[in-house]
Amino acid sequence: MIKSNYTGLRHGPINSFIRQDNLLQLNPFVMWDHFQLNSTQTEAGFDFHGHSGIAAVTYVIDADLTHEDSKGNVVKLPRGSVQLLVAGAGALHKETLTSEDGNFEAFQLWTALPKNIEMSEAYYQGVSVEDLPIIKQQNTSTKILVGEYAGIKSPIKHVIDMNYFHITMATTKAHWRYSASQDQNSRFIYVLQGNISISGEPLTTQQLVLIDNVSELEITAGSDDSQFLFISATSLAQAILPTGPSVHSSYENSKIGHQNIQQLFQKMMK
């Protein structure tokens, strides 16, 4: 059931899990970063920077989020919310987290984009926590960040076929069952807290666990209030060429994306 476990590479408050050595195995996912910070400051984040060729899903667990981008969007979202930025041919964005107690926690997931929309116009969507559906079943709750679960869809309109759920298991030995799409052949789990197992195989907190392409998943809680994230998507049948903050299917597109980002910076400074 478990194919591979990956530990993160920490740099400052960020733990990064997708690298050159596992990039192809996790296709179309090209970045999975866990941001955690306990600070005397009430604000943290990242100033304006650019991407192209990727879609970024940001999920903030502990802090409020203010998003700004080169399309003119300025959006404020409370903790527990999710946002999608499809960078396409190029976009700049700035993310500011605010927390009264100085505790910050968030996740950012990048996917590569299919070749036919890789150089499309940038697109942004933010959905507040109160608009995200939560399905409660037998001591479990499934928060649908992206995609569909039990016939219920997230308001987030991603451009690729994927699911992204936050599951909470209230009691020890609670079970979470999922009939997985065979098309979504790239799947991983990330344990937030507590203990869980798949077919008797225990999973460790703060590890990216790549799982097999099976039709039925059953996950069991080993402790009360265990929580994990489940992410799946359809792999892309194309080259994946990362170049720092961008990912493309060809070096030509990468060059164009870089030029577009530089032009956006020049426009911003005028």
Side-chain angles (χ1 to χ4, degrees):
M1 182 70 72
I2 298 175
K3 293 172 65 175
S4 303
N5 294 338
Y6 299 112
T7 55
L9 178 64
R10 181 165 290 281
H11 42 108
I14 299 173
N15 212 8
S16 297
F17 289 83
I18 300 182
R19 306 177 291 270
Q20 287 286 352
D21 62 347
N22 60 15
L23 184 68
L24 294 180
Q25 193 173 14
L26 285 156
N27 170 2
F29 306 115
V30 293
M31 191 181 83
W32 174 250
D33 279 3
H34 186 182
F35 178 86
Q36 284 182 297
L37 179 65
N38 296 316
S39 173
T40 58
Q41 305 296 315
T42 59
E43 186 174 290
F46 304 90
D47 206 348
F48 276 104
H49 57 287
H51 305 287
S52 61
I54 61 104
V57 180
T58 305
Y59 178 40
V60 183
I61 292 177
D62 196 359
D64 298 329
L65 170 67
T66 300
H67 167 90
E68 302 173 61
D69 63 42
S70 51
K71 298 291 291 183
N73 296 299
V74 179
V75 179
K76 294 184 178 182
L77 296 169
R79 64 191 61 209
S81 302
V82 66
Q83 68 176 20
L84 168 69
L85 175 66
V86 178
L92 307 181
H93 71 131
K94 176 182 178 180
E95 312 297 342
T96 305
L97 300 176
T98 55
S99 171
E100 291 183 0
D101 61 6
N103 292 320
F104 303 87
E105 185 170 17
F107 290 91
Q108 191 159 90
L109 173 70
W110 289 7
T111 63
L113 294 175
K115 286 189 289 187
N116 63 321
I117 59 172
E118 180 181 325
M119 305 305 289
S120 61
E121 187 175 349
Y123 165 77
Y124 172 82
Q125 184 186 12
V127 175
S128 188
V129 58
E130 62 265 20
D131 296 321
L132 292 168
I134 297 178
I135 309 300
K136 295 185 177 181
Q137 299 171 319
Q138 298 179 346
N139 294 318
T140 70
S141 67
T142 303
K143 183 178 181 180
I144 309 171
L145 306 178
V146 181
E148 180 178 348
Y149 179 79
I152 306 298
K153 294 182 178 180
S154 165
I156 288 285
K157 306 298 183 185
H158 207 303
V159 294
I160 69 167
D161 179 25
M162 70 164 287
N163 289 318
Y164 185 172
F165 310 140
H166 182 171
I167 297 96
T168 300
M169 308 174 81
T171 61
T172 302
K173 296 185 179 180
H175 296 278
W176 183 78
R177 298 177 177 86
Y178 180 56
S179 298
S181 167
Q182 292 301 289
D183 292 334
Q184 293 187 359
N185 57 340
S186 184
R187 306 169 182 169
F188 71 87
I189 283 173
Y190 189 83
V191 185
L192 284 173
Q193 67 181 49
N195 301 294
I196 65 171
S197 62
I198 304 177
S199 300
E201 297 183 75
L203 306 186
T204 305
T205 57
Q206 298 197 4
Q207 279 192 321
L208 186 157
V209 181
L210 190 64
I211 55 178
D212 285 323
N213 188 21
V214 295
S215 58
E216 297 292 331
L217 286 175
E218 182 171 343
I219 296 175
T220 304
S223 61
D224 292 346
D225 197 29
S226 294
Q227 298 184 40
F228 65 96
L229 302 172
F230 171 84
I231 296 97
S232 64
T234 303
S235 299
L236 298 175
Q238 64 190 52
I240 294 179
L241 306 173
T243 54
S246 301
V247 175
H248 286 280
S249 63
S250 71
Y251 288 112
E252 180 181 1
N253 283 350
S254 178
K255 182 179 179 180
I256 295 170
H258 177 74
Q259 292 171 343
N260 290 343
I261 290 169
Q262 295 309 306
Q263 290 171 3
L264 288 169
F265 271 120
Q266 292 169 7
K267 183 179 179 181
M268 179 179 288
M269 290 186 294
K270 287 183 179 180

